[in-house]
Amino acid sequence: MQKRNIKTNVRLILFPLFLCLLLLLIQKWVNYEIDKPSRRCGCICVDTGKGQCETRCGIEYSTLKQGFFCSIPHPTEWPLLLQVPAQQFRAVRTSDHLVSSYGDLPGDSCKKTGSCPVTMLITGNNQTFGQSVAGNMFSKPFNNINSSDSLYNLADNALGSETETRFDNVLDAAFLLNAPIDFLQPQCPSNFRFSLAFRLGSDTLEKDVRCSQVVQLWRNSSSEINDVLYRGYRKGNSERKINEILAAYDFVNSNDNLFNVTVWYNSTYKNDKGSQPISLTRLPRSINLVSNAYLQLLLGPTARMVFEFVKEMPKPETKLRLDFSSLLGPLFYTWVIVQLFPVTLTYLVYEKEHRLRIMMKMHGLGDGPYWMISYAYFLAISSVYMLCFVIFGSAIGLNFFRLNDYSIQFVFYFLYINLQICLAFLVADWFSSVKTATVVGYMMVFGTGLLGGFLFQLFLQDSSFPKAWIIAMELFPGFSLYRGLYEFSQYAFNGNYMGSDGMRWNDLNNSNNGMREVLIIIAVEWLVVLCVAYYADQVASSGKNPLFFLRKKPKNLQSSFRKPSLRRQGSKVFVQMEKIDVDQEREKVEQLLLESSTSHSIICNNLKKIYPSRDGNPEKFAVRELSLALPEGECFGMLGPNGAGKTSFINMMIGLVKPSSGTAYVQGLDIRTDMDRIYTSMGVCPQHDLLWDMLTGREHLLFYGRLKNLKGAALTQAVEESLKSVNLFHGGVADKQSRKYSGGMKRRLSVAISLIGDPKVVYMDEPSTGLDPASRNMLWDVVKRAKQNRAIILTTHSMEEAEHLCDRLGIFVDGRLQCVGNPNELKARYGGSYVFTMTTSQIHEEEVENLVNQLSPNATKVYQISGTQKFELPKDEIRIADVFEAVENAKSRFTVQAWGLADTTLEDVFIRVARGAQADSTLS
Ligand SMILES: *[C@@H]1O[C@H](CO)[C@@H](O)[C@H](O)[C@H]1NC(C)=O
Ligand SMILES: *[C@@H]1O[C@H](CO)[C@@H](O)[C@H](O)[C@H]1NC(C)=O
Ligand SMILES: *[C@@H]1O[C@H](CO)[C@@H](O)[C@H](O)[C@H]1NC(C)=O
Ligand SMILES: *[C@@H]1O[C@H](CO)[C@@H](O)[C@H](O)[C@H]1NC(C)=O
Ligand SMILES: *[C@@H]1O[C@H](CO)[C@@H](O)[C@H](O)[C@H]1NC(C)=O
Ligand SMILES: *[C@@H]1O[C@H](CO)[C@@H](O)[C@H](O)[C@H]1NC(C)=O
């Protein structure tokens, strides 16, 4: 069947490949967009003189942004700078009463000329001490700077910049952007301006240096400094409130023997991305400045504590790597994996909807093997699917698969597909139609993905969301899948970004990694769902009581034999004399049960089926006290009007429903307890053909033959014979898919299926309905040949068929056998008359009547119409020769246009019995 389904299966497997490719395309596109020159280490074309140009790349040809990505084999050394507030934000005297209450701040007129000094605040327990330390901070005069001395000499000086830092310390923005370097001095000489040369990579750059004045102001306590800083924060657009300072120092209890200082600095100056504080290159200078000043206070002006530069570690060229596919992954991969769910579900529901499951069961496929085979099959197809998915994903280079440990992925996917298959088994019990199952299945697929992506992921990312709730949500298998994929994607994304590995087993220990819980949840759910699904299936498929395992086994056979025979005594009163044959059958059954012989293939003992009252309708007696014994080699025909209980009877015999009381023995096995063993020697041709659309006739027979334990050459031979016998062998019919068969061919195939493997007992429910006369005759031949060494129970509405095939007939009305016997007996018993018809002109009608009365005084006229009359003549009163003689006589007296004498047909018997029984039941 799967071979037939190859297209569907290929499509199924191509789906993840398609999604992977889509992801890859998205990823390529995003990478292409990201990898624009502006995000790559800068290059320029240097003219080599011969009209050619040589491309040189490096940090010196890059903008600040590009430089970040360059390779840095020899990092530049950067002098340490102070963060100087921008000119327009510097603290001045303003109308703000608290700030301006300090008269020592510079006046705000400097803002207009752009020459405001920067302010530094100082406090401490000993003002004399504090001010003398502070006085040493900017004492070094400017003329010590030698412009050709590059940056090294700057280490001794207090330099600053208004430029904020970016990214990291590979490049100091202060040296690359236009703003000049500030040389901080208590007094600025006029016309102070020079430029400084320094090397960057292989290039020499020039940088302007200007002088900025610093005023150091004493405050009585640190809280006063705090007040000023607090008010100085850039708020709104009102400039008067902006009072930024360079830095502030609290010398606390410092003295000649103790240096205990607190530094205020502004860490809000951050880089572009807002992740690292600036201070890595800006803070150290403020500390070195005050330490140096303290040292000089103690040891004199020649003492120096030098902090020359900071230098980044060397690094290779980097690229902006965003593994976009990993971010989108969870949504896509959830779809890919959950897609297996509707596929599994549809297969299961298909077999249920088309009742193939029951059909297989009736031919001997037990529940256990069915489960194991189906489970193994789905596991195999899911595994292949996932394997293709992972291999393909890895092959095209998706980091999601490549970076994470394959063994974790294997365990995760393996557990999940198992859980999913169990779920499909469980859910399949609720559906009876493939269409609904498909629709619901695919809604699950997309719903799970979208809910996971747009709802569940938000909860995952929200660190304030309670963990317990997340775990509760993960109890829903779709979400646990999503969580697992999400973790994979996070690890893959970070691994790719940092150039490291994805998830490893060690990472499961990490408390932020939800993988461990997910694995546990999935594994536990798998076991639980497996048990529940198997249990639910037992309840649903075999009609067992939901608490079947609590029940005791039925009592042993001996006691169940006795009970009905005692009851019989009471009910005998109601058995009418007419039904003496039925009664005989009952006695025969009891006799047989006592002998416990197995010469009879089927023995039904007082079989009863009562459907309980429902929706206010009374109980329905479908089968009442049926006793029947069928020897091997007999074909028993069940006739009866619609609704007489024939199908209920057959359903009981084939194990679809349990009898309400009484039982039947098939080959000596009780249908209540040994159905599984009975199935191996039973064949069923159901009323409606139960066939797989996709399989050919031959394959059906091969399959059911194998179920019946046929193997190898015996199987092939049996199948071939079977096909020949139902005339499906020639012209390639056997190898056509059954959906292309006509109704008659399907019917014949069903019969062939019921007969394959030499079952001892065969049930055929109206085998020839819908067949043309030629096919029907062929079918009859098959059945006739087949009945030689088995017992067949056949229901039919065709009297011709019953007469042709059946050794005995039972007419079944209102749940009860009305009569049992071979067709001729029945005809003799119930239709004990001939039908005599004669057509004359109307004048002679009376003469005909007289003639008939002479033949038999008890004759009855059935009808009379314009000269044609029909009579029933009791068989025991006439001889056929007399009739012929009388007709010859009559012919000599008047014109006989036509005449006929016929035996009663079975149809007459049937109608009579049915009518009689219904009359009885209405009387009673
Ligand atoms: C304050 O510091 C100065 C200089 O270091 C020192 O001479 C003086 O004794 C100190 N005053 C107190 C109260 O410690
Ligand atoms: C500057 O340094 C160079 C070499 O280091 C030296 O030749 C020159 O005299 C120095 N100039 C001053 C003003 O110190
Ligand atoms: C700080 O202390 C000095 C001397 O003790 C005093 O003159 C001055 O008013 C104080 N300043 C403030 C703002 O309290
Ligand atoms: C600290 O730096 C931020 C960012 O440049 C600035 O907005 C703020 O006004 C500064 N605060 C002070 C007290 O200087
Ligand atoms: C240094 O100053 C802090 C207050 O800023 C104080 O708590 C600490 O005791 C001082 N340390 C010494 C060694 O005096
Ligand atoms: C995981 O955590 C447990 C307990 O916290 C610790 O004993 C164990 O060594 C850890 N394993 C790894 C691989 O880190």
Side-chain angles (χ1 to χ4, degrees):
M1 178 141 152
Q2 293 315 318
K3 227 164 50 192
R4 287 291 129 61
N5 258 344
I6 193 96
K7 264 194 198 158
T8 323
N9 288 342
V10 166
R11 244 178 285 150
L12 179 69
I13 290 190
L14 284 182
F15 177 69
L17 305 195
F18 166 74
L19 275 185
C20 282
L21 278 179
L22 188 65
L23 267 183
L24 187 71
L25 279 183
I26 293 178
Q27 159 119 51
K28 290 264 175 231
W29 177 75
V30 169
N31 280 354
Y32 171 77
E33 284 298 315
I34 282 182
D35 196 26
K36 289 272 168 76
S38 68
R39 292 187 204 85
R40 246 188 274 153
C41 183
C43 297
I44 57 162
C45 201
V46 179
D47 198 345
T48 51
K50 296 170 199 159
Q52 290 166 327
C53 86
E54 186 190 329
T55 311
R56 285 198 203 147
C57 301
I59 195 160
E60 59 270 33
Y61 311 114
S62 309
T63 63
L64 206 55
K65 211 174 187 180
Q66 291 173 319
F68 178 69
F69 300 100
C70 291
S71 79
I72 305 181
H74 310 290
T76 315
E77 298 151 351
W78 300 109
L80 297 165
L81 303 178
L82 287 166
Q83 184 70 47
V84 178
Q87 189 56 240
Q88 68 271 30
F89 301 133
R90 293 179 183 171
V92 290
R93 258 194 317 253
T94 62
S95 53
D96 186 307
H97 74 97
L98 195 130
V99 175
S100 48
S101 65
Y102 300 105
D104 48 0
L105 280 172
D108 62 356
S109 59
C110 67
K111 291 231 161 159
K112 295 194 183 84
T113 57
S115 59
C116 289
V118 285
T119 309
M120 172 183 278
L121 301 176
I122 304 155
T123 182
N125 296 352
N126 185 339
Q127 187 170 1
T128 331
F129 176 80
Q131 276 174 336
S132 48
V133 173
N136 284 337
M137 281 185 182
F138 303 102
S139 61
K140 195 171 183 186
F142 127 85
N143 51 19
N144 276 7
I145 291 180
N146 186 336
S147 63
S148 53
D149 225 9
S150 102
L151 295 173
Y152 290 96
N153 269 348
L154 298 180
D156 277 345
N157 297 284
L159 297 186
S161 170
E162 291 178 9
T163 316
E164 297 179 14
T165 49
R166 314 260 169 102
F167 300 116
D168 54 19
N169 303 325
V170 167
L171 292 173
D172 193 333
F175 291 91
L176 298 176
L177 296 185
N178 283 333
I181 300 285
D182 290 292
F183 183 62
L184 297 166
Q185 287 288 292
Q187 287 302 323
C188 274
S190 53
N191 300 330
F192 179 98
R193 216 160 237 286
F194 72 103
S195 74
L196 190 71
F198 68 99
R199 294 180 68 76
L200 183 66
S202 55
D203 252 26
T204 307
L205 300 185
E206 296 257 304
K207 189 76 201 169
D208 280 342
V209 179
R210 69 174 177 206
C211 181
S212 286
Q213 192 193 354
V214 184
V215 290
Q216 293 174 317
L217 301 176
W218 181 261
R219 288 291 175 267
N220 283 351
S221 70
S222 59
S223 62
E224 285 178 13
I225 294 184
N226 276 339
D227 276 345
V228 175
L229 294 180
Y230 174 70
R231 309 229 160 203
Y233 208 87
R234 282 181 207 164
K235 283 185 237 163
N237 48 12
S238 139
E239 283 199 5
R240 60 193 175 84
K241 281 197 174 173
I242 297 166
N243 285 289
E244 295 186 10
I245 60 158
L246 181 63
Y249 296 90
D250 182 355
F251 290 101
V252 204
N253 55 346
S254 301
N255 55 38
D256 291 354
N257 300 318
L258 175 71
F259 186 51
N260 188 7
V261 68
T262 306
V263 185
W264 279 266
Y265 71 97
N266 188 353
S267 79
T268 324
Y269 287 106
K270 283 183 178 161
N271 63 35
D272 266 353
K273 291 163 84 185
S275 57
Q276 299 152 315
I278 53 109
S279 345
L280 285 179
T281 49
R282 296 292 186 261
L283 176 63
R285 176 54 82 206
S286 60
I287 296 170
N288 172 257
L289 212 55
V290 71
S291 311
N292 214 8
Y294 181 66
L295 198 67
Q296 286 176 1
L297 180 76
L298 296 185
L299 305 178
T302 51
R304 291 197 305 164
M305 185 190 285
V306 182
F307 192 160
E308 256 187 307
F309 53 82
V310 287
K311 179 170 162 175
E312 185 59 276
M313 300 265 187
K315 72 170 184 72
E317 184 172 334
T318 50
K319 235 176 155 181
L320 185 55
R321 286 187 291 195
L322 278 187
D323 189 10
F324 206 65
S325 62
S326 290
L327 290 187
L328 276 185
L331 178 62
F332 277 54
Y333 304 145
T334 303
W335 280 337
V336 167
I337 298 170
V338 181
Q339 197 219 10
L340 285 171
F341 178 73
V343 173
T344 315
L345 188 63
T346 329
Y347 278 128
L348 287 171
V349 176
Y350 178 84
E351 291 195 334
K352 203 174 124 191
E353 181 183 356
H354 293 242
R355 304 232 247 155
L356 295 163
R357 167 96 193 267
I358 289 168
M359 184 74 178
M360 289 189 279
K361 195 170 171 181
M362 286 186 300
H363 285 85
L365 183 62
D367 281 334
Y370 175 80
W371 263 69
M372 258 152 59
I373 294 168
S374 312
Y375 196 98
Y377 166 67
F378 292 128
L379 188 59
I381 200 170
S382 303
S383 305
V384 169
Y385 178 87
M386 292 306 303
L387 213 61
C388 290
F389 175 53
V390 175
I391 290 177
F392 187 75
S394 307
I396 62 173
L398 293 179
N399 288 321
F400 186 91
F401 301 104
R402 288 183 137 187
L403 292 181
N404 293 311
D405 194 333
Y406 280 107
S407 57
I408 304 184
Q409 294 189 56
F410 175 80
V411 170
F412 176 70
Y413 295 138
F414 182 76
L415 286 179
Y416 185 77
I417 56 181
N418 273 299
L419 170 60
Q420 188 160 267
I421 293 170
C422 293
L423 273 178
F425 271 101
L426 179 63
V427 175
D429 286 330
W430 304 338
F431 291 103
S432 50
S433 141
V434 171
K435 277 186 192 144
T436 14
T438 315
V439 170
V440 172
Y442 279 100
M443 267 162 57
M444 257 285 282
V445 173
F446 289 103
T448 306
L450 295 177
L451 277 181
F454 297 106
L455 182 75
F456 185 56
Q457 185 164 338
L458 299 185
F459 293 144
L460 290 181
Q461 286 164 346
D462 178 0
S463 52
S464 64
F465 195 75
K467 262 196 158 180
W469 278 106
I470 289 189
I471 290 191
M473 289 171 85
E474 280 167 5
L475 293 181
F476 174 64
F479 284 158
S480 52
L481 172 69
Y482 192 90
R483 179 72 193 270
L485 295 174
Y486 175 78
E487 294 297 344
F488 278 141
S489 79
Q490 291 300 303
Y491 273 85
F493 182 81
N494 291 335
N496 175 64
Y497 188 70
M498 320 279 273
S500 64
D501 281 336
M503 197 187 294
R504 291 288 173 271
W505 283 105
N506 279 348
D507 297 325
L508 294 197
N509 232 3
N510 189 335
S511 64
N512 289 329
N513 185 352
M515 197 49 139
R516 191 171 46 173
E517 291 115 63
V518 166
L519 287 178
I520 294 172
I521 289 176
I522 293 181
V524 171
E525 269 182 5
W526 171 25
L527 297 179
V528 171
V529 175
L530 184 66
C531 298
V532 173
Y534 187 74
Y535 167 75
D537 185 69
Q538 286 293 301
V539 172
S541 78
S542 56
K544 281 182 188 163
N545 186 291
L547 299 172
F548 67 87
F549 50 83
L550 296 177
R551 286 257 185 103
K552 283 187 199 139
K553 294 222 161 190
K555 285 164 240 149
N556 63 27
L557 295 182
Q558 211 55 39
S559 63
S560 57
F561 284 168
R562 295 279 171 247
K563 230 164 101 196
S565 59
L566 287 175
R567 281 241 311 265
R568 191 187 65 86
Q569 300 299 332
S571 63
K572 196 169 186 180
V573 182
F574 302 104
V575 177
Q576 292 163 20
M577 286 312 287
E578 242 186 354
K579 294 184 188 163
I580 195 122
D581 43 0
V582 179
D583 211 32
Q584 273 169 0
E585 187 76 17
R586 189 184 298 275
E587 261 153 26
K588 186 168 125 201
V589 166
E590 268 158 32
Q591 198 62 37
L592 285 170
L593 286 178
L594 290 180
E595 286 167 17
S596 69
S597 78
T598 48
S599 66
H600 282 65
S601 297
I602 300 177
I603 303 173
C604 302
N605 179 22
N606 251 321
L607 209 53
K608 233 191 216 178
K609 180 73 202 173
I610 303 169
Y611 291 107
S613 59
R614 197 175 268 183
D615 302 336
N617 293 325
E619 291 183 331
K620 181 171 171 6
F621 291 83
V623 177
R624 322 177 187 226
E625 292 170 1
L626 180 92
S627 288
L628 187 67
L630 245 74
E632 190 171 290
E634 185 178 282
C635 174
F636 183 82
M638 293 205 96
L639 305 180
N642 293 330
K646 287 171 298 179
T647 307
S648 293
F649 168 65
I650 297 238
N651 282 350
M652 276 192 280
M653 295 305 288
I654 61 181
L656 290 190
V657 294
K658 293 265 169 200
S660 306
S661 73
T663 186
Y665 300 93
V666 177
Q667 299 284 101
L669 302 168
D670 193 329
I671 58 164
R672 291 173 308 180
T673 52
D674 278 326
M675 212 57 223
D676 289 343
R677 276 162 71 200
I678 294 175
Y679 282 141
T680 56
S681 59
M682 189 178 92
V684 180
C685 170
Q687 196 169 357
H688 306 284
D689 302 303
L690 305 181
L691 304 172
W692 282 275
D693 283 348
M694 291 287 198
L695 294 192
T696 65
R698 186 193 300 279
E699 284 159 347
H700 274 97
L701 290 170
L702 283 171
F703 175 67
Y704 284 113
R706 280 196 196 109
L707 279 186
K708 287 272 153 58
N709 235 346
L710 289 176
K711 286 191 191 91
L715 176 65
T716 340
Q717 198 191 343
V719 168
E720 230 154 75
E721 276 171 12
S722 181
L723 284 170
K724 275 179 193 155
S725 72
V726 293
N727 201 18
L728 286 174
F729 187 69
H730 297 287
V733 185
D735 296 313
K736 265 199 212 160
Q737 295 183 15
S738 78
R739 64 184 157 158
K740 294 180 187 145
Y741 282 12
S742 66
M745 286 154 92
K746 284 185 182 169
R747 216 61 209 127
R748 278 182 283 160
L749 179 58
S750 292
V751 170
I753 289 173
S754 71
L755 292 175
I756 193 148
D758 201 21
K760 289 292 167 224
V761 178
V762 178
Y763 303 94
M764 294 186 179
D765 207 352
E766 303 183 14
S768 66
T769 29
L771 292 193
D772 63 280
S775 309
R776 196 174 55 182
N777 276 332
M778 217 167 345
L779 194 82
W780 287 352
D781 288 343
V782 176
V783 177
K784 249 186 177 164
R785 251 179 286 134
K787 78 180 177 190
Q788 272 161 14
N789 45 7
R790 56 181 62 102
I792 298 179
I793 289 185
L794 183 138
T795 71
T796 183
H797 286 302
S798 151
M799 298 304 140
E800 205 182 344
E801 180 169 281
E803 211 164 349
H804 201 96
L805 292 177
C806 300
D807 306 302
R808 281 202 303 159
L809 292 177
I811 298 181
F812 210 65
V813 181
D814 198 20
R816 218 188 285 273
L817 267 184
Q818 300 296 334
C819 58
V820 183
N822 78 38
N824 292 332
E825 258 174 46
L826 287 184
K827 274 192 271 185
R829 200 176 322 142
Y830 291 92
S833 53
Y834 294 113
V835 176
F836 178 76
T837 324
M838 185 170 260
T839 310
T840 58
S841 59
Q842 282 183 349
I843 330 159
H844 304 297
E845 278 183 354
E846 208 153 311
E847 281 180 72
V848 174
E849 239 182 288
N850 289 339
L851 179 145
V852 171
N853 281 336
Q854 274 167 23
L855 279 172
S856 152
N858 291 332
T860 50
K861 182 146 58 165
V862 185
Y863 77 75
Q864 169 181 22
I865 238 173
S866 61
T868 301
Q869 298 177 80
K870 197 173 182 181
F871 303 92
E872 275 182 2
L873 313 177
K875 273 184 186 167
D876 42 4
E877 286 179 13
I878 57 163
R879 289 189 317 129
I880 295 178
D882 293 343
V883 178
F884 277 79
E885 222 179 282
V887 172
E888 284 307 309
N889 260 333
K891 275 185 179 169
S892 60
R893 282 182 282 132
F894 49 87
T895 339
V896 175
Q897 286 163 356
W899 74 281
L901 181 69
D903 202 347
T904 33
T905 59
L906 202 52
E907 206 161 316
D908 298 327
V909 175
F910 177 79
I911 292 170
R912 184 171 292 182
V913 171
R915 241 187 233 149
Q918 271 154 5
D920 279 356
S921 65
T922 43
L923 272 181
S924 63

